Amino acid sequence: MKIKLMVNEAGAIRNGRFAFTDKLALLGELLQNARRAGATFINVDFDAEHGRLVVTDNGCGISDFQALLHLNASGWDEAVMAKDQPFGLGFSKVLYSSRHVHITSRGKQLSFNCEEALSQAEMEVTDSDVPDDGLTVLRLEGVDIPDIKVAIARYVRGFPIEVALNGVPLPREHAEDQMDFVDTSIGRVHLAGRDSGQPSSGVALYIQGQLLSRSSKDYYCMHDGLDVVHLDSSKFQARMPDRAELIDANEQLVKITGAIRDEWRSHLLAMKAKLDPGAFIDRFFDVAHRHGLLDVFNDLALLPKQACSVISRYPTLVNEMEVYLDTPSHLSQEAVTSGASRLACLVWFHRRDEESSISAMYARAAGLTLVDPSRVAPGHWALQGLRQLEDEPATATPTGELKTFWFSGHHVSCEVVLCDSIRIDHGTDTVLLSDDALFWEGRILYPKGCTDGQVVEQVSNYCDEHDRFDETACEEDFANLAKQALLWRCPDPASMLAALLRDLPEYPTLLGKRFMVTLPSDRGQCVVEQVS
């Protein structure tokens, strides 16, 4: 027994209504037909109250009305077939989306009910009732297109010919005659930020003037600063019947991304030859980082400041790393080579634990510039011999007179070591901390010059079981540690009062004066008498 592939014509026609993504496909198919007919303008009139849609264009017109109703066969000439690869299904959307159709073109007209057409009834093409004015007019009755203003505005943003809705021309910001484009291996490309260096917020992909991927239409219509690509339809194919997505989309997107990247590389190299190195980095670092082109900076004698950080504030577990990192200026290769600026790798600090705290405190005290290797291309001179602090042995030792006491707070309970200073040995380098405390090996090391309790934020992040920050507990532990450290440091009342007055603002009228101060035992108001 022999068999062959067969087609149930009635079933194929009946099920064709489910092939299109949504009602908006009707607009797209009508506009595409006018474009392929060589039209230079299209007017769309829509009467929502009566469900009437009229599309008028000045294209070449319809020479064969039967071709409109021949599914899976295209009546376009060889040039259009080669360039656009039409599927021969577009007009079927008209049959599924309306009740009645009337067409006039080239002195002929055709009028029919869509249900009769779908049942394959014969229809008569007659001479037009009106003189031929060179226009093709398609009138549809019983059409429902919700939010047609928004829908058609999305569709024509990159369309190659003028489109008007109810006589009002629609913006076509992404059309090839509205922006600057360059020819590439994938088609015509517009790069947002070519002059400013501001990275694009996305990529709008068009094929035959139609935006790909319907799910992104709101995004593309609401945002400026997009890279715009009009794909070469002889190299890329979209999914039938409504061309909403590319065939083999993931594979094709790799090609598209690569072509955009190549175009950016060419532009960056050209701009590097024109601009001062610092100005070039400032303007184009972000876009180079976005497209993986950081190697364009490798031959410059500057290390981009965008890849560098310095620890300018006290590092804790409470605050995110960005809170105490500042960005320096660009570093010259000469400054690094001479040792005037010292570099180390930033990666270690993302751990945010006790070991990273000692490295952070060391880096801050040593004045190191921390380099983020993810923002520097391999082969950059700054990466040669870059210190990896996380791989270096580190120890902290309290020095001078030592006293210890136990601190018990809301989130912190540990021994506190009062000392003159803290010696940090990191790799082969050493620094002394005299004003900042450090949590190390389960103890708080508290040097003489420290007057606050911020070190508790190196011990705990003060978050509860629901990851909510306990601000009150943190503030109380902060204050209580500072108070207890002050008490333990002062062996007598005079030294305690001296410590309390150490941070008193310098009021000119108090300078050089002597006072007798009496503190009542009941914590009432103190008595102050000027002695001299």
Side-chain angles (χ1 to χ4, degrees), residues 5 8 16 26 32 178 213 249 305 318 502 514:
L5 177 67
N8 182 324
L26 171 64
Q32 288 292 350
Q178 301 295 310
S213 185
K305 64 182 181 183
V318 171
R502 180 176 54 184
R514 298 177 63 193

Side-chain angles (χ1 to χ4, degrees), residues 317-318 352 411 456-457 459-464 467 469-470:
L317 301 179
V318 171
R352 294 170 57 78
H411 285 244
V456 297
E457 297 178 0
V459 185
S460 171
N461 63 8
Y462 284 86
C463 290
D464 61 19
D467 203 31
F469 179 62
D470 191 343

Side-chain angles (χ1 to χ4, degrees), residues 510-528:
L510 298 179
L511 296 179
K513 303 296 190 295
R514 298 177 63 193
F515 301 89
M516 178 179 291
V517 179
T518 303
L519 301 177
S521 58
D522 61 356
R523 295 189 179 184
Q525 186 166 349
C526 66
V527 178
V528 180

Side-chain angles (χ1 to χ4, degrees), residues 26 30 51-54 94 98 100-101 138-143:
L26 171 64
L30 296 178
R52 181 180 299 115
L53 178 70
V54 180
V94 171
S98 54
H100 185 270
V101 177
L138 177 67
R139 185 174 71 245
L140 310 181
E141 306 287 347
V143 175

Side-chain angles (χ1 to χ4, degrees), residues 177-192:
D177 60 351
Q178 301 295 310
M179 308 177 78
D180 294 327
F181 286 86
V182 293
D183 294 321
T184 72
S185 60
I186 59 171
R188 308 202 72 205
V189 174
H190 167 83
L191 297 180

